[in-house]
Amino acid sequence: MARRPELEEATPWKLADHPRLGKGKVVGVVVLDGWGEAPPDPFNCIRVADTPTMDALKKGAPERWRLIKAHGTAVGLPTDDDMGNSEVGHNALGAGQIYAQGAKLVDLALASGKIYEGEGFKYIQQSFETGTLHLIGLLSDGGVHSRIDQLQLLLKGASEHGAKRIRVHILTDGRDVLDGSSVAFVETLESDLAKLREKGVDARVASGGGRMYVTMDRYENDWQVVKRGWDAQVLGEAPHKFQSALEAVKTLREDPKANDQYLPPFVVVDETGKPVGPIMDGDAVVTFNFRADRMVMLAKALEYETFDKFDRVRFPKIRYAGMLQYDGELKLPSHYLVAPPEIERTSGEYLAHNGIRTYACSETVKFGHVTFFWNGNRSGYFNPNLEKYEEIPSDIGIPFNEQPKMKAVEVADKAKDAILSGKYDQVRVNIPNGDMVGHTGDLEATIIGCKAADEAVKIILDAIEQVGGIFVVTADHGNAEDMVKRDKSGKPVRDKDGNVQPLTSHTLNPVPIAIGGPGLASGARFRKDLTDAGLANVAAIIMNLHGFEAPDHYEPTLIEVSTAQYLSASSADRTYQ
């Protein structure tokens, strides 16, 4: 990742000692994924679940428990109507600073027109004269992975900058937006493409499929998902063929078990049955999702000449760019339309420079969050002599609602072992259940998942107790605390048969943060003045608990130490000595 030399020189890596919080205590950092705070409700799976550990943190020491924001401007997104997600959440948690993120970066580039002046667009533009521009991504207004209005602007801008033939390869959502909304999104897109055709641009939808079954896998969990997309997008092959995307989505949704997330792959064909838009030599390809995690695998397939994850059959010579660069360390993709935020001087890097030994762990589906995203979109170690990252393989091919306990206990056991080993100053984990099971919309399974997450927290906190350490328990965004679609009055939305419609997306709710443990100074508590604090304030807290002051350019800490209690404790220490 690029560094600004002037910042390197102006800001030393050495952190000042905290005047009232000492060093030498093991700090356990637990991130509960998808664990927001909301009033009790039959659809609040966290409140319904048996979660005695988390309940005790809230009720037992109210001065050491509070809520923080995990969405919108608090994590760098454009507005407070934008749901947070695990990637921007962990960026903020680890960076201690608020950076313009994902959608906001793209919005700025599109609004200013700078997207068309950059190296990435000029690179793909070289294919416009004789080739086709292919746009691949999630067709949705969910704002977590992509937004349809950005696709609309890109279609308009690309056509105005020379694209003569455009093919869109859509992935239906149903996860960040209501299931069934795919039809309306396709209707909108088809209308836009028809207007482009009226202007002489050959623009059509070429293929599609549901996001969880086609293309959008992550962390190399199931390459067959990417292969299904590859076969449709590149080879023009799929089990279902239609003469329009609208016909495809409407027909495939007639299956009683159909779900936008899992629609099978399809290709659009002409009247002779020939695919209208397979990716060919000389074409340009843009993956228009702004969120990285579910584009990395496709990016590897499109860019890497040496590739063995599945038989690509044909590897077209294309000009490929991502909407953003999805992995800064791997430089993947090598071309991108919008430059990533330069997340510099993260807490992990500061602490490594100050001798803090760190262990980070999660299972596959969230391993990248406590490592890559926490460290500012950076792969690898800051100091391999001080850090160890361990990944617990997630279940493959088993829906999360069928195995809702996931690997929570296994991750917690690894954390316990790391804490008790005496080898580490910080032990950091992500417990994924609230998010991953919550996304299935299965209330019963999510309740089980939340209970398992709570049990994992207890294992870790018990280990912290045993070594006299300190803990921080927080979350990255909401999900499991509100599992039903609601109308404007807050009442559950029901279908024609009276069944509630499950909410599978993240939420706008705040998340809890709790501190404690026998190693925490007796007078340490949360401040009450920073009511709008968010995830970016957490890094300063963690630095404080390691005995350091946070850098001046970080979001302020939420910890204060009561003068009376601090003086009393100091006096008692001197008397004992």
Side-chain angles (χ1 to χ4, degrees):
M1 183 175 294
R3 298 286 181 187
R4 295 201 296 268
E6 68 277 12
L7 184 59
E8 296 285 330
E9 295 175 5
T11 310
W13 288 107
K14 177 65 177 175
L15 294 171
D17 291 346
H18 194 283
R20 296 184 178 179
L21 296 174
K23 295 184 175 66
K25 303 295 183 182
V26 178
V27 179
V29 181
V30 180
V31 180
L32 291 168
D33 219 290
W35 193 284
E37 180 72 9
D41 183 285
F43 306 102
N44 182 338
C45 292
I46 294 171
R47 291 294 189 96
V48 175
D50 182 20
T51 57
T53 305
M54 291 300 293
D55 292 346
L57 294 182
K58 180 178 181 179
K59 298 173 184 176
E63 75 281 3
R64 293 179 172 181
W65 185 97
R66 64 163 290 169
L67 297 175
I68 53 177
K69 293 184 177 180
H71 73 285
T73 56
V75 290
L77 296 172
T79 75
D80 284 338
D81 291 328
D82 293 311
M83 293 179 290
N85 62 62
S86 297
E87 290 66 44
V88 300
H90 282 76
N91 274 171
L93 286 166
Q97 306 151 79
I98 300 173
Y99 284 86
Q101 286 283 0
K104 190 170 185 179
L105 285 172
V106 177
D107 286 341
L108 293 171
L110 285 167
S112 66
K114 289 183 178 179
I115 193 171
Y116 307 112
E117 301 169 3
E119 177 275 333
F121 189 83
K122 290 179 179 178
Y123 173 68
I124 63 166
Q125 196 174 26
Q126 297 175 57
S127 293
F128 289 0
E129 185 64 33
T130 58
T132 299
L133 169 62
H134 298 265
L135 302 174
I136 305 174
L138 186 67
L139 188 67
S140 165
D141 65 359
V144 176
H145 291 269
S146 68
R147 286 210 324 264
I148 188 172
D149 62 313
Q150 293 180 347
L151 171 61
Q152 292 171 308
L153 289 172
L154 187 58
L155 283 166
K156 180 176 182 292
S159 64
E160 291 173 350
H161 286 80
K164 300 176 180 178
R165 190 172 189 268
I166 301 173
R167 294 293 181 265
V168 186
H169 303 264
I170 64 171
L171 302 167
T172 53
D173 194 344
R175 187 178 178 96
D176 300 321
V177 294
L178 188 64
D179 180 43
S181 57
S182 58
V183 174
F185 289 127
V186 172
E187 288 175 336
T188 298
L189 177 61
E190 291 279 32
S191 175
D192 291 340
L193 297 177
K195 292 175 182 175
L196 287 177
R197 290 195 294 273
E198 292 173 1
K199 297 179 180 180
V201 179
D202 179 6
R204 298 192 64 178
V205 175
S207 74
R211 58 176 283 177
M212 297 302 288
Y213 192 67
V214 178
T215 299
M216 284 177 59
D217 192 47
R218 64 179 176 186
Y219 306 140
E220 304 198 6
N221 194 49
D222 186 356
W223 277 100
Q224 287 302 305
V225 173
V226 183
K227 184 180 186 302
R228 292 184 196 106
W230 183 273
D231 290 349
Q233 297 149 3
V234 178
L235 305 182
E237 298 175 0
H240 301 277
K241 296 178 173 62
F242 300 92
Q243 291 198 341
S244 77
L246 188 57
E247 177 195 4
V249 173
K250 285 184 173 180
T251 302
L252 293 174
R253 284 199 55 83
E254 290 175 356
D255 185 328
K257 297 181 180 179
N259 180 291
D260 285 348
Q261 296 188 55
Y262 293 95
L263 290 185
F266 65 85
V267 294
V268 176
V269 297
D270 61 19
E271 59 277 2
T272 69
K274 181 180 178 181
V276 301
I279 298 171
M280 306 296 289
D281 287 350
D283 287 350
V285 176
V286 171
T287 46
F288 61 82
N289 283 19
F290 48 72
R291 177 165 154 178
D293 58 339
R294 294 190 183 274
M295 286 287 102
V296 167
M297 292 168 70
L298 174 58
K300 289 179 178 179
L302 288 169
E303 185 147 312
Y304 288 172
E305 188 167 348
T306 302
F307 180 88
D308 61 0
K309 303 302 182 181
F310 59 82
D311 183 4
R312 292 181 292 191
V313 180
R314 183 167 58 82
F315 180 47
K317 296 178 181 178
I318 60 172
R319 293 181 175 90
Y320 165 53
M323 180 66 89
L324 295 162
Q325 186 170 64
Y326 299 131
D327 189 323
E329 188 72 12
L330 296 177
K331 295 181 171 51
L332 183 73
S334 56
H335 300 276
Y336 42 89
L337 303 188
V338 181
E342 293 186 359
I343 300 180
E344 300 177 312
R345 304 181 81 87
T346 64
S347 61
E349 190 166 12
Y350 265 112
L351 292 173
H353 276 280
N354 284 268
I356 296 299
R357 302 164 300 170
T358 298
Y359 174 86
C361 177
S362 188
E363 61 176 283
T364 303
V365 292
K366 296 293 181 178
F367 175 68
H369 295 80
V370 287
T371 55
F372 175 80
F373 291 109
W374 187 280
N375 290 334
N377 305 331
R378 182 189 189 279
S379 298
Y381 298 115
F382 293 115
N383 185 335
N385 296 320
L386 296 176
E387 297 168 277
K388 180 180 179 180
Y389 301 159
E390 190 162 7
E391 176 183 347
I392 307 299
S394 291
D395 295 316
I396 297 176
I398 304 174
F400 296 115
N401 58 326
E402 293 182 13
Q403 197 79 303
K405 294 184 179 180
M406 301 182 67
K407 303 298 181 184
V409 170
E410 289 87 338
V411 171
D413 283 339
K414 287 288 187 180
K416 178 187 72 174
D417 291 344
I419 290 166
L420 299 180
S421 72
K423 297 179 180 178
Y424 304 102
D425 304 298
Q426 182 182 124
V427 175
R428 184 173 70 238
V429 301
N430 177 295
I431 307 297
N433 307 60
D435 191 45
M436 301 310 297
V437 188
H439 276 310
T440 68
D442 187 326
L443 270 70
E444 184 177 348
T446 305
I447 291 167
I448 295 171
C450 290
K451 184 177 187 295
D454 188 80
E455 292 168 350
V457 175
K458 185 179 190 305
I459 291 171
I460 296 169
L461 267 53
D462 285 349
I464 287 292
E465 183 77 22
Q466 191 172 335
V467 300
I470 304 170
F471 64 77
V472 181
V473 180
T474 190
D476 57 348
H477 57 76
N479 186 331
E481 80 286 357
D482 194 3
M483 297 279 292
V484 68
K485 186 75 175 177
R486 299 179 186 275
D487 61 23
K488 293 181 179 179
S489 69
K491 295 180 180 179
V493 174
R494 299 180 182 274
D495 62 21
K496 59 183 179 181
D497 298 320
N499 301 311
V500 296
Q501 296 190 25
L503 182 69
T504 58
S505 68
H506 299 164
T507 71
L508 300 176
N509 290 320
V511 300
I513 182 169
I515 55 174
L520 183 60
S522 60
R525 63 192 182 192
F526 283 133
R527 298 164 58 175
K528 297 180 179 179
D529 55 332
L530 298 175
T531 56
D532 289 329
L535 296 182
N537 297 83
V538 174
I541 294 172
I542 294 171
M543 287 178 163
N544 291 169
L545 298 179
H546 280 296
F548 299 110
E549 291 272 29
D552 290 341
H553 61 279
Y554 268 36
E555 291 297 304
T557 183
L558 302 182
I559 290 181
E560 63 181 8
V561 182
S562 166
T563 301
Q565 288 179 293
Y566 171 74
L567 292 175
S568 175
S570 299
S571 176
D573 289 343
R574 289 194 296 272
T575 301
Y576 178 78
Q577 291 171 353

